[in-house]
């Protein structure tokens, strides 16, 4: 076997794990593939003949690649929208593939991870999901192991969210999940059953369907809107949104849409549909058990 074939074989044995690490860090299958490809290029150029723990060496490389990508993402968030260059992706996203990957990790978890600082996200993902010890995580982030431990702990608290009374949470969850199931299944009689007669839906300008904020009043109007948004409901999952049970949708692992609900006497009285980037960024989103 020649040297090039030997290098390829060694790398391919680690590819699935590297892809899994990168996807959980980046939340996007396309970006994860880019990170793994960059890791391959660095591996190909490096002298790894003396590396005893190749899996650890490659994990360090893909982690640093992902960290750079996350920091670049944070920089783009701070730029005015008019000054941003379009993101480069290898073709349009495959919605079914993105949903499948998100389900394998937990879409709500990906959304919460996207709200963390890059170092927090990496420390949490590497330790809590891949059992990488803090002695190894610290140098990857140019931090001490103790500092890496604190980053992961801070991230863990964000992921779990603030405590919510269990009884209230359970009631909210049953109503919101019934709303989601009815929307996905096109069961509009079931949808009517969870809506208050005077329910009000507020959608910001980015949520559509009009270029201005939109208000819909009454069961019939809300049900008609849900009928038009049935495809969107397929990639939506429950999560805690600002401390109450809501719904979130992500594109490439980043929060793209959120629904906040007001539930009174087991009926939805108000729905707030949020898609404007500044409003999404201000939300507190955490994972439901």
């Amino acid at each position: 076997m020649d040297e090039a074939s030997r290098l390829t074989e060694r790398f391919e044995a680690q590819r699935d794990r590297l892809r899994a690490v990168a996807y959980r860090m980046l939340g996007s299958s396309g970006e994860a593939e880019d990170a793994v490809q960059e890791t391959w290029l660095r591996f190909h150029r490096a002298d790894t003949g003396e590396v005893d723990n190749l899996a650890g060496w490659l994990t360090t490389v893909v982690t640093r690649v992902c960290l750079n990508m996350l920091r670049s993402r944070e920089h783009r968030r701070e730029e005015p929208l008019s000054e941003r260059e379009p993101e480069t992706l290898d073709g349009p996203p495959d919605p079914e593939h993105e949903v499948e990957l998100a389900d394998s990790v937990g879409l709500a978890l990906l959304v919460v991870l996207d709200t963390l600082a890059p170092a927090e996200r990496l420390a949490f993902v590497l330790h809590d999901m891949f059992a990488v010890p803090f002695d190894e995580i610290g140098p990857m982030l140019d931090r001490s192991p103790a500092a890496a431990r604190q980053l992961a702990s801070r991230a863990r608290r964000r992921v779990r969210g603030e405590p919510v009374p269990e009884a209230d949470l359970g009631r909210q969850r049953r109503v919101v999940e019934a709303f989601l199931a009815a929307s996905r299944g096109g069961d509009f009689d079931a949808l009517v059953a969870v809506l208050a007669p005077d329910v009000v839906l507020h959608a910001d300008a980015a949520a559509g369907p009009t270029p201005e904020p939109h208000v819909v009043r009454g069961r019939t109007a809300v049900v008609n809107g849900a009928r038009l948004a049935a495809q969107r409901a397929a990639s939506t999952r429950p999560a805690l949104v600002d401390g109450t049970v809501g719904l979130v949708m992500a594109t490439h692992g980043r929060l793209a849409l959120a629904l906040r609900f007001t539930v009174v006497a087991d009926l939805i009285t108000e729905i707030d549909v949020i898609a404007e980037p500044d409003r999404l960024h201000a939300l507190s989103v955490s994972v439901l058990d």
Side-chain angles (χ1 to χ4, degrees):
M1 181 183 294
D2 60 28
E3 181 64 16
S5 297
R6 188 181 68 82
L7 285 174
T8 299
E9 185 178 271
R10 295 179 72 197
F11 186 84
E12 289 301 322
Q14 302 292 330
R15 179 180 288 275
D16 286 347
R17 184 175 188 275
L18 296 175
R19 187 188 294 116
V21 171
Y23 180 70
R24 284 157 177 79
M25 290 183 185
L26 299 169
S28 160
S29 57
E31 287 185 331
E33 291 291 350
D34 289 345
V36 171
Q37 182 61 21
E38 176 62 25
T39 302
W40 158 249
L41 293 174
R42 296 188 186 190
F43 169 70
H44 189 69
R45 293 193 297 261
D47 180 6
T48 56
E50 301 299 321
V51 175
D52 293 327
N53 181 5
L54 182 62
W57 188 91
L58 289 171
T59 299
T60 297
V61 174
V62 79
T63 294
R64 287 176 173 161
V65 171
C66 290
L67 183 60
N68 289 337
M69 295 173 75
L70 288 170
R71 286 171 173 166
S72 176
R73 185 186 294 177
E74 288 292 301
H75 176 69
R76 291 199 302 274
R77 278 177 175 161
E78 294 172 359
E79 294 175 353
L81 289 173
S82 59
E83 297 179 10
R84 296 182 191 174
E85 296 181 3
E87 293 188 31
T88 57
L89 295 170
D90 294 331
D94 179 345
E96 290 186 6
H97 184 52
E98 288 287 337
V99 169
E100 180 181 345
L101 285 171
D103 279 346
S104 70
V105 179
L107 184 144
L109 175 58
L110 289 177
V111 169
V112 178
L113 290 177
D114 192 48
T115 68
L116 303 177
E120 292 175 345
R121 181 168 183 159
L122 266 66
F124 174 79
V125 166
L126 289 175
H127 182 266
D128 285 40
M129 296 185 180
F130 293 95
V132 178
F134 290 116
D135 286 348
E136 296 178 22
I137 296 173
M140 295 180 194
L141 299 172
D142 296 322
R143 308 284 181 92
S144 68
R149 184 186 297 276
Q150 288 180 341
L151 288 170
S153 177
R154 188 184 310 152
R156 201 174 297 118
R157 289 195 298 271
R158 291 282 299 278
V159 167
R160 292 174 179 171
E162 296 299 322
V164 179
E166 186 174 346
D168 291 345
L169 192 63
R171 283 195 296 270
Q172 293 170 10
R173 184 169 188 168
R174 284 192 295 274
V175 173
V176 171
E177 288 184 343
F179 173 90
L180 179 59
S183 299
R184 285 178 177 167
D187 186 347
F188 299 110
D189 288 337
L191 192 56
V192 166
V194 297
L195 298 174
D198 56 351
V199 61
V200 179
L201 181 147
H202 302 267
D204 64 29
T210 65
E212 299 85 26
H214 192 59
V215 179
V216 174
R217 301 180 186 278
R219 279 175 173 161
T220 301
V222 171
V223 168
N224 288 337
R227 183 180 288 112
L228 297 175
Q231 184 177 3
R232 181 182 282 179
S235 56
T236 303
R237 299 292 183 274
L240 280 177
V241 179
D242 286 345
T244 61
V245 179
L247 298 173
V248 295
M249 184 181 76
T251 302
H252 296 301
R254 297 172 215 173
L255 185 60
L257 185 81
L259 280 75
R260 285 189 305 208
F261 295 85
T262 302
V263 177
V264 178
D266 294 332
L267 291 175
I268 296 169
T269 61
E270 190 170 349
I271 305 171
D272 190 11
V273 186
I274 302 165
E276 291 178 354
D278 288 346
R279 295 187 69 205
L280 290 173
H281 194 60
L283 292 176
S284 172
V285 181
S286 54
V287 179
L288 278 166
D289 291 335

